[in-house]
């Protein structure tokens, strides 16, 4: 017992230390006049400073399989290929950021030669043609800004990130490679001296604070900040005999992008491809904190606003009606029951049917109680992770400039919220069983249930990605890191949470359970039909944002309206709670005392609608998705998402229904 108390005391001291760290960080931020969280440190350059672009994995909405930039015969840097340091989120997303030979010199407009490839062999030609026809995009980065490309489609200007590998004309058998790039770099002139910049380097925290005491200090020389990065790709056929006489970064004459196919660089065997590029620097009034606005501006914002507003009004209206009707019904039943004396209550119990008659069975142990406790505990863990992540993102603490930060933050939160999973699962188990015996087994199952399923699905997907030689495959080293985090952080914290659950105050039932179970009257229709249908109402709050989220994941678009997502999450919690409570009350009214699992799946059944919507999105919005590997990749991730949503929403419904049933029967006078 003393050892257990010592371990609890040690954990509490560690928690206090973390709290003091966060308080100190908050005080430091509050002492500044203002702060900005762009996700990267602000770089200021002088005229002529050299900066090299980087290249990320090539992506395609046709296959959803990322591949390395240097898997194609592109020019390589002089010092060799060097990979950038990546976090867990970037690795799981399939990002592979390498250096590139593209050199930029601040405020120097130039047209440069890079290299000429050896004659293309059959394998290289086949690979180039395949990547071109699969619509693969090259993702280039300069000063942490993705390259943006503008294109006209049906008379409307559309912006994309990246540029295509090649071009395949309609009704043509030949393919043409993009071998000339025209970069436009937007720079903002920055006058230093009145601001203090505090940061942790690239991907870290940037704080801009005014210094009121620097009036006597000499101002620093003006610099330039990169606030925009645009690219216009071309295909130009050049004479390899002339180009091979040049060296990398030799100046060449500027050229206008040709319009005829005869002047394009064709992809065929024994062709030698020359790569060139030109750079133009343009001064801009865009300030550095606003440079991501062009990327985060979502298409169809008016439709988005109207759809969200319409969904909110409908959900509020339906939830209000259900809540008012429900309150009036339950209140009338309780008032009538409590106004009677004991003899009248006994007579009423014999005459009336409904939830009053299942008073001796309503808290009877459900079937598969262990699984229920584990799923509720994992649901609390997932729900807490989602809530904290969305709140932080809504307040701007997770910028898209920090690639992989969102996913990394979610993983870290999930690991440390294992203590909540263990606590809730063991406490529910203790309430159902009336004993703490076997709590460690429940904690262990809670620590392994959802992560184990996710591990199996990701491993199956990873074998497919390994077979395709995609950069989306998780490296073996990352597998061991994830296993280490799982078993050395999440599992111990879940066991600690389970131990705390055994020490928590016991939840006592307000009524006694009969020894013999009451027979449940048969109904006209199976009860599961109503349970499955109940998931449609929570789905109504979710499907609009679900479209934008899936477009961000599978179509490569930016999603940064976390304020809307926070509102939708709050509405989802409210609707899941109300739907589950109403369905529980309806089942009790027909003398069906097996409400435990029905309360869980009344709100958790929204996962069926989410998965069906995912299939609908695959058929109608991802029509270009090709190949069985891509389809299995999509279905695997959709299954994982649906499972997480089921656990989170089902937990909401179960916990609210439990406290409702507990309150309902504790309000009834029982001899």
């Amino acid at each position: 017992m003393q050892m257990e108390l010592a371990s609890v005391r040690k954990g509490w001291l560690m928690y206090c230390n973390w709290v003091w760290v966060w308080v100190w960080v908050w005080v430091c931020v509050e002492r500044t006049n203002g702060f900005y969280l762009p996700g990267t440190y602000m770089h200021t350059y002088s005229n002529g400073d050299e900066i090299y672009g980087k290249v990320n994995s090539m992506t395609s909405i046709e296959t959803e399989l990322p591949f390395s930039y240097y898997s194609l015969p592109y020019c390589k840097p002089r010092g060799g290929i060097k990979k950038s340091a990546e976090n867990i989120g970037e690795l799981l997303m399939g990002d592979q950021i390498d250096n590139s030979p593209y050199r930029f010199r601040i405020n120097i407009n130039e047209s440069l030669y890079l290299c000429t490839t050896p004659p293309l062999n059959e394998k290289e030609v086949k690979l180039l043609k395949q990547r071109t026809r699969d619509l693969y995009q090259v993702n280039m980065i300069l000063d942490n800004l993705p390259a943006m490309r503008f294109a006209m489609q049906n008379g409307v200007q559309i912006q994309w990130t990246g540029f295509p590998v090649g071009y395949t004309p309609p009704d043509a058998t030949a393919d043409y490679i993009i071998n000339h790039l025209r970069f436009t770099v937007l720079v903002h002139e920055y006058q230093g001296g009145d601001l203090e910049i505090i940061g942790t380097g690239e991907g870290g925290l940037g704080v801009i604070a005014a210094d009121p005491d620097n009036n006597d200090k000499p101002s620093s020389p003006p610099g330039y900040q990169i606030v925009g990065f645009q690219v216009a790709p071309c295909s130009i056929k050049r004479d390899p005999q002339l180009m091979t006489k040049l060296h990398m970064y030799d100046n060449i004459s500027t050229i206008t992008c040709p319009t005829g196919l005869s002047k394009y660089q064709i992809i065929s065997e024994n062709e030698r491809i020359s790569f060139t590029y030109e750079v133009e620097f343009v001064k801009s009034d865009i300030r550095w904190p606003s440079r991501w606005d062009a990327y985060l501006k979502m298409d169809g914002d008016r439709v988005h606003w109207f759809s969200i507003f319409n969904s909110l009004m409908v959900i509020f209206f339906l939830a209000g009606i259900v809540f008012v009707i429900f309150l009036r019904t339950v209140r009338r039943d309780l008032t009538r029951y409590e106004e009677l004396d004991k003899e009248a209550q006994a007579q009423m119990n014999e005459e009336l049917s409904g939830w009053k008659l299942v008073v001796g069975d309503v808290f009877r142990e459900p079937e598969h109680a262990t699984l229920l406790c584990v799923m509720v505990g994992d649901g609390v863990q997932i729900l807490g992770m989602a809530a904290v992540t969305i709140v932080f993102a809504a307040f701007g603490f997770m910028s898209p400039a920090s690639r992989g930060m969102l996913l990394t933050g979610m993983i870290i939160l999930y690991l440390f919220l294992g203590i909540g999973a263990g606590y809730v699962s063991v406490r529910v188990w203790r309430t159902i069983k009336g004993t703490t015996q076997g709590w460690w087994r429940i904690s262990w199952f809670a620590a392994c249930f959802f992560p184990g399923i996710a591990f199996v699905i990701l491993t199956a997907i990873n074998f497919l990605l390994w077979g395709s030689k995609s950069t989306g495959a998780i490296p073996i080293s990352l597998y061991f890191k994830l296993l280490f985090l799982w078993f050395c952080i999440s599992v111990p914290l879940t066991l600690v949470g389970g131990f705390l659950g055994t020490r928590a105050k016991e939840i006592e039932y307000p009524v006694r359970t009969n020894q013999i179970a009451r027979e449940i009257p048969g109904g006209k229709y199976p009860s599961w039909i109503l349970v499955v249908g109940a998931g449609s109402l929570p789905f109504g709050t979710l499907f609009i944002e679900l479209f934008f989220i899936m477009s961000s994941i599978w179509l490569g678009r930016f999603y940064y309206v976390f304020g809307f997502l926070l509102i939708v999450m709050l509405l989802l919690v409210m609707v899941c709670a109300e739907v589950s409570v109403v369905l529980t009350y309806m089942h009790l009214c027909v003398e069906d005392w097996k409400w435990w699992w029905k309360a869980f799946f009344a709100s958790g059944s929204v996962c069926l609608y989410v998965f069906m919507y995912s299939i609908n999105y695959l058929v109608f919005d991802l029509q270009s998705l090709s190949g069985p590997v891509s389809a299995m990749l999509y279905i695997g991730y959709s299954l994982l998402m649906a499972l997480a949503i089921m656990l989170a929403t089902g937990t909401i419904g179960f916990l609210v229904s439990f406290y409702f049933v507990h309150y309902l029967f504790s309000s009834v006078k029982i001899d």
Side-chain angles (χ1 to χ4, degrees):
M1 183 65 181
Q2 292 180 352
M3 293 180 62
E4 293 174 347
L5 291 175
S7 62
V8 173
R9 189 181 300 109
K10 185 178 180 181
W12 174 252
L13 290 175
M14 292 179 62
Y15 172 79
C16 292
N17 290 334
W18 278 106
V19 171
W20 277 112
V21 169
W22 281 108
V23 170
W24 181 85
V25 171
W26 176 255
V27 170
C28 291
V29 172
E30 283 294 317
R31 286 178 61 86
T32 60
N33 296 76
F35 64 97
Y36 176 72
L37 299 172
T40 182
Y41 181 71
M42 181 170 65
H43 297 280
T44 302
Y45 304 95
S46 302
N47 287 323
D49 284 355
E50 289 188 357
I51 178 174
Y52 288 84
K54 296 181 180 181
V55 286
N56 202 345
S57 299
M58 298 184 297
T59 55
S60 169
I61 60 174
E62 293 270 339
T63 64
E64 301 295 346
L65 300 174
F67 287 99
S68 171
Y69 173 81
Y70 291 108
S71 62
L72 296 180
Y74 286 123
C75 302
K76 296 177 174 59
R78 283 177 173 174
I81 302 172
K82 299 177 182 178
K83 300 183 184 298
S84 299
E86 296 174 320
N87 55 44
I88 294 178
E90 289 178 303
L91 293 173
L92 291 176
M93 292 167 59
D95 289 347
Q96 181 178 312
I97 301 177
D98 304 318
N99 60 333
S100 79
Y102 289 92
R103 185 194 69 185
F104 301 82
R105 294 191 292 179
I106 301 299
N107 286 334
I108 297 179
N109 299 335
E110 51 190 350
S111 183
L112 303 174
Y113 165 80
L114 275 184
C115 72
T116 300
T117 65
L120 297 178
N121 56 40
E122 181 181 359
K123 180 180 179 182
E124 292 173 332
V125 169
K126 182 179 179 181
L127 194 59
L128 277 171
K129 286 179 173 287
Q130 182 181 355
R131 297 287 186 267
T132 299
R133 295 179 180 180
D134 286 340
L135 304 181
Y136 268 88
Q137 303 285 316
V138 176
N139 299 298
M140 189 170 290
I141 304 167
L142 182 67
D143 194 41
N144 208 35
L145 279 180
M148 181 183 293
R149 174 172 59 95
F150 296 95
M152 297 298 295
Q153 184 174 348
N154 299 326
V156 180
Q157 188 183 58
I158 299 176
Q159 66 181 37
W160 301 88
T161 54
F163 58 89
V165 170
Y167 171 67
T168 303
D171 303 325
T173 56
D175 302 289
Y176 302 90
I177 190 172
I178 299 296
N179 63 335
H180 181 76
L181 302 174
R182 303 178 65 181
F183 295 107
T184 301
V185 182
L186 306 181
V187 293
H188 177 76
E189 187 173 356
Y190 171 74
Q191 293 288 344
D194 59 340
L195 294 177
E196 179 186 2
I197 304 170
I198 305 171
T200 58
E202 186 170 350
L205 170 68
V207 180
I208 303 176
D211 186 1
D213 300 326
N214 68 343
N215 296 327
D216 298 332
K217 298 178 183 178
S219 60
S220 59
Y224 296 91
Q225 302 160 354
I226 296 176
V227 295
F229 184 41
Q230 302 171 6
V231 61
C234 301
S235 180
I236 301 176
K237 184 175 179 60
R238 298 183 182 270
D239 186 356
Q241 298 296 331
L242 297 177
M243 302 305 290
T244 51
K245 297 179 181 179
L246 301 175
H247 299 88
M248 184 177 286
Y249 304 129
D250 283 351
N251 289 308
I252 59 174
S253 59
T254 59
I255 188 172
T256 304
C257 292
T259 56
L261 293 179
S262 60
K263 298 181 180 180
Y264 286 8
Q265 176 61 60
I266 194 171
I267 301 175
S268 62
E269 287 190 52
N270 299 320
E271 282 283 335
R272 304 189 68 183
I273 302 173
S274 297
F275 289 92
T276 58
Y277 72 101
E278 54 186 286
V279 182
E280 180 185 7
F281 285 87
V282 178
K283 290 188 177 181
S284 172
D285 294 330
I286 300 174
R287 299 181 65 85
W288 190 82
S290 304
R291 65 179 191 159
W292 274 90
D293 291 354
Y295 299 89
L296 303 182
K297 184 177 65 176
M298 301 185 66
D299 298 329
D301 53 346
R302 291 186 179 181
V303 176
H304 185 82
W305 275 92
F306 176 77
S307 300
I308 292 294
F309 181 77
N310 183 62
S311 177
L312 292 176
M313 292 301 101
V314 171
I315 295 304
F316 270 128
F317 180 72
L318 292 177
I321 292 177
V322 170
F323 195 64
V324 169
I325 293 176
F326 168 72
L327 278 182
R328 292 183 62 183
T329 303
V330 175
R331 189 172 182 180
R332 185 178 63 247
D333 286 347
L334 285 175
T335 302
R336 289 180 55 195
Y337 195 85
E338 291 178 353
E339 286 178 351
L340 301 175
D341 55 19
K342 293 183 179 180
E343 295 182 0
Q345 286 181 19
Q347 183 179 0
M348 184 179 179
N349 287 339
E350 295 178 358
E351 296 176 354
L352 295 180
S353 61
W355 60 269
K356 283 82 63 176
L357 297 181
V358 297
V359 66
D361 300 274
V362 69
F363 291 108
R364 189 176 300 279
E365 180 181 333
E367 298 177 350
H368 310 293
T370 300
L371 180 60
L372 178 63
C373 298
V374 169
M375 292 175 70
V376 171
D378 282 3
V380 168
Q381 191 174 8
I382 295 172
L383 186 64
M385 174 198 69
V388 176
T389 302
I390 293 174
V391 169
F392 270 74
F395 284 97
F397 287 92
M398 294 185 179
S399 169
S402 296
R403 293 170 182 83
M405 181 180 178
L406 188 68
L407 186 56
T408 303
M410 292 175 65
I411 293 174
I412 294 175
L413 284 171
Y414 184 84
L415 292 173
F416 284 94
L417 286 173
I419 192 169
Y423 178 84
V424 174
S425 59
V426 169
R427 193 161 189 200
V428 174
W429 167 264
R430 183 184 177 191
T431 301
I432 293 175
K433 292 290 187 177
T435 178
T436 60
Q437 186 177 2
W439 67 268
W440 59 270
R441 182 171 59 92
I442 300 298
S443 300
W444 175 259
F445 287 161
C448 298
F449 179 72
F450 179 74
I453 296 176
F455 185 80
V456 170
I457 294 176
L458 291 177
T459 302
I461 292 174
N462 219 47
F463 277 116
L464 298 176
L465 295 175
W466 274 334
S468 302
K469 298 180 180 180
S470 169
T471 59
I474 301 175
I476 292 294
S477 59
L478 182 59
Y479 254 102
F480 285 106
K481 291 179 182 177
L482 292 175
L483 289 173
F484 174 81
L485 294 174
W486 180 9
F487 287 102
C488 296
I489 297 180
S490 182
V491 172
L493 285 176
T494 307
L495 292 173
V496 170
F499 173 76
L500 295 177
T502 61
R503 295 295 182 266
K505 184 179 179 181
E506 185 177 357
I507 301 176
E508 298 181 355
Y509 292 147
V511 294
R512 293 189 299 270
T513 302
N514 297 334
Q515 293 183 353
I516 301 176
R518 182 185 182 88
E519 184 178 357
I520 300 175
K524 294 182 180 180
Y525 306 102
S527 59
W528 62 265
I529 295 179
L530 191 60
V531 172
V532 172
S536 60
L537 191 57
F539 179 72
T541 68
L542 198 62
F543 79 96
I544 294 175
E545 287 304 311
L546 192 62
F547 170 79
F548 289 100
I549 292 173
M550 297 189 71
S551 297
S552 171
I553 296 174
W554 301 108
L555 296 180
R557 300 173 183 172
F558 285 99
Y559 182 87
Y560 206 65
V561 285
F562 291 104
F564 287 124
L565 189 60
L566 179 60
I567 296 174
V568 169
M569 187 192 71
L570 295 176
L571 283 175
L572 181 65
V573 171
M574 292 170 54
V575 174
C576 286
E578 291 178 351
V579 166
S580 183
V581 166
V582 170
L583 239 70
T584 300
Y585 179 73
M586 292 175 62
H587 283 102
L588 293 178
C589 285
V590 295
E591 303 177 31
D592 185 356
W593 47 267
K594 295 183 178 181
W595 59 272
W596 303 79
W597 281 106
K598 294 183 178 68
F600 185 92
F601 284 112
S603 54
S605 60
V606 68
C607 68
L608 298 176
Y609 297 89
V610 170
F611 185 73
M612 288 190 293
Y613 181 81
S614 301
I615 301 300
N616 175 81
Y617 189 87
L618 172 65
V619 174
F620 294 101
D621 293 275
L622 292 179
Q623 297 177 357
S624 59
L625 195 67
S626 59
V629 175
S630 302
M632 294 180 68
L633 178 73
Y634 178 88
I635 292 175
Y637 283 124
S638 298
L639 277 173
L640 191 60
M641 178 181 66
L643 176 62
I645 291 176
M646 180 196 72
L647 293 174
T649 55
T651 296
I652 297 170
F654 172 80
L655 293 178
V656 175
S657 294
F658 176 82
Y659 283 104
F660 160 72
V661 173
H662 190 279
Y663 171 78
L664 182 64
F665 284 90
S666 63
S667 303
V668 178
K669 298 176 182 178
I670 303 295
D671 287 337

